Amino acid sequence: METTHRVVVGDARSLASIDDESVELVITSPPYPMIEMWDELFAELDPAIETALEAGDGDEAFSLMHDQLARVWDEVSRVLVDGGIACVNVGDATRSIGDRFRVYQNHARVATDFESRGFDPLPDVLWRKPTNSAAKFMGSGMLAPNAYVTLEHEHVLIFRKAGGSRSFEPGANRRYEAAYFWEERNRWFSDLWSDVTGELQQLGADGARDRSAAFPFEIPYRLCCMYSVYGDTVLDPFWGTGTTSLAAMCAGRSSIGVELDEGLVSVFDERVGEVQSMATDVGRRRLARHRDFVASRRDEGASLSYESSHYDFPVTTSQERDLRLYSVESVERERLPSGRRYRLDHTPLAAE
């Protein structure tokens, strides 16, 4: 199996290099409006945003920031296949503008923007992010009524482009090989993810990106497995440090990433150097967890009804029998005038 991964240096508000209806899945985490670290970026996209912030008009700044994101959602709608899925990880923002403190509900505005483009909202996920702070309250501490609930979660919003569920040929091998284990489904399709930790990302001595609790690998990897099959293409229009591409590589999907900062694209070559060992490790951990699940069920006196076609263990349902994981055998790099392209050969991951 071969996958192709393209990284484009450019503005996601115009995805002219991507054909209509050529992407099956979108996974992204955009800059969060009304988070101060992104003020400068949004102001560069629309100077009226800086004017609104300086005037103390938080509502106007919030609206204008989302207007810029909405131009990307227009492109997402164009390039997604009918029935394709878009997953958007976004957090809300708390901020004082002038003499007003409030929460800016980014997730609600993103949901409204997708619905207005004909997407059907699906049940979403709350990602509860661990915090190490012992003094995490905001406001007046122990004195009512002016303390505030601390935001310790982000949203993974999930939308389906109009057109109904995707259809496949009966018995399509790539779909059955891309199945997930029964116990994985029970964990992944919960509406609360509290077992996913953030990541510290420090790239380059020039401080190209230095922020904690960034988009962790586990989120796009799960979403790739949940909402796509082998052979699909995954797009991240806010590519950042390339985590979605890494997840797609390890999951045996092709990918396209779009990123404004050429420096981040250059640094990504270092991360690709780890993808062979990373894909093998991810696959072996999934197999090991399933073996632990089988052992636990047997200890409880239960039996699993079906035998895996490719591995030396039973599975719970008939849909899991042809499940097969892949490792990365080789990586071929190609420098493009406006980015990078990677071709990966995948080979079935053998049982240990």
Side-chain angles (χ1 to χ4, degrees):
M1 182 176 69
E2 181 180 281
T3 62
T4 302
H5 305 267
R6 184 159 58 100
V7 186
V8 179
V9 178
D11 189 333
R13 295 174 297 175
S14 176
L15 302 177
S17 64
I18 304 176
D19 293 337
D20 294 357
E21 299 183 5
S22 60
V23 169
E24 284 79 19
L25 175 63
V26 171
I27 301 173
T28 196
S29 184
Y32 300 171
M34 302 308 288
I35 298 291
E36 287 188 61
M37 68 176 290
W38 298 118
D39 284 357
E40 184 177 349
L41 171 63
F42 279 113
E44 289 174 359
L45 300 177
D46 181 0
I49 293 171
E50 183 176 9
T51 301
L53 289 172
E54 290 176 349
D57 192 343
D59 294 345
E60 176 70 3
F62 173 77
S63 180
L64 291 172
M65 289 178 184
H66 276 283
D67 287 346
Q68 295 304 311
L69 295 185
R71 295 175 60 182
V72 181
W73 310 146
D74 286 334
E75 288 290 82
V76 164
S77 179
R78 179 182 65 81
V79 303
L80 259 181
V81 300
D82 288 346
I85 300 292
C87 304
V88 181
N89 168 222
V90 65
D92 294 334
T94 53
R95 186 163 179 177
S96 294
I97 301 289
D99 61 354
R100 296 175 62 197
F101 173 84
R102 58 162 291 185
V103 60
Y104 292 91
Q105 295 181 313
N106 288 318
H107 79 280
R109 172 61 188 264
V110 171
T112 297
D113 285 344
F114 268 87
E115 285 192 70
S116 70
R117 285 157 179 78
F119 283 79
D120 294 327
L122 302 179
D124 60 16
V125 173
L126 285 181
W127 170 32
R128 192 177 192 283
K129 300 168 65 174
T131 177
N132 295 321
S133 174
K136 58 188 180 182
F137 49 77
M138 297 186 295
S140 59
M142 271 52 70
L143 300 177
N146 295 325
Y148 308 107
V149 171
T150 305
L151 292 181
E152 296 179 339
H153 67 272
E154 294 186 3
H155 297 260
V156 181
L157 303 174
I158 303 167
F159 308 94
R160 177 185 287 126
K161 184 179 175 180
S165 300
R166 289 175 59 195
S167 59
F168 297 85
E169 293 295 327
N173 287 341
R174 62 175 182 154
R175 189 183 188 197
Y176 283 89
E177 283 195 345
Y180 29 76
F181 292 116
W182 180 85
E183 65 276 12
E184 288 179 327
R185 188 202 186 285
N186 291 344
R187 186 170 75 255
W188 292 350
F189 284 85
S190 166
D191 65 356
L192 176 64
W193 288 355
S194 57
D195 59 337
V196 179
T197 59
E199 291 181 344
L200 177 66
Q201 297 184 359
Q202 292 179 309
L203 298 181
D206 60 349
R209 177 161 300 180
D210 184 355
R211 66 190 182 101
S212 62
F215 196 42
F217 172 88
E218 178 69 14
I219 287 180
Y221 181 79
R222 284 187 186 185
L223 295 171
C224 280
C225 295
M226 293 164 66
Y227 294 111
S228 67
V229 302
Y230 295 135
D232 281 353
T233 297
V234 182
L235 165 68
D236 187 346
F238 297 101
W239 188 78
T241 58
T243 306
T244 296
S245 288
L246 278 182
M249 290 174 175
C250 291
R253 279 70 167 170
S254 294
S255 70
I256 304 171
V258 181
E259 172 54 44
L260 275 171
D261 188 341
E262 187 173 3
L264 294 179
V265 176
S266 299
V267 171
F268 183 67
D269 265 340
E270 300 173 14
R271 303 190 79 186
V272 173
E274 304 171 358
V275 74
Q276 288 174 271
S277 60
M278 191 174 184
T280 298
D281 181 59
V282 168
R284 295 216 177 281
R285 281 192 280 117
R286 287 183 65 187
L287 295 179
R289 282 196 295 264
H290 180 70
R291 289 193 177 94
D292 290 343
F293 167 75
V294 172
S296 175
R297 294 285 287 175
R298 285 174 171 165
D299 288 345
E300 295 169 355
S303 61
L304 282 70
S305 303
Y306 301 92
E307 288 296 323
S308 169
S309 301
H310 304 294
Y311 300 105
D312 57 347
F313 47 57
V315 292
T316 305
T317 69
S318 62
Q319 293 179 333
E320 300 165 77
R321 288 182 299 182
D322 293 330
L323 183 157
R324 170 175 274 177
L325 303 181
Y326 284 82
S327 59
V328 175
E329 185 174 10
S330 64
V331 180
E332 177 184 334
R333 295 169 167 84
E334 179 183 1
R335 186 183 295 270
L336 302 176
S338 60
R340 303 284 196 279
R341 179 184 287 120
Y342 304 89
R343 291 187 175 86
L344 275 62
D345 284 325
H346 301 258
T347 188
L349 184 65
E352 291 184 313

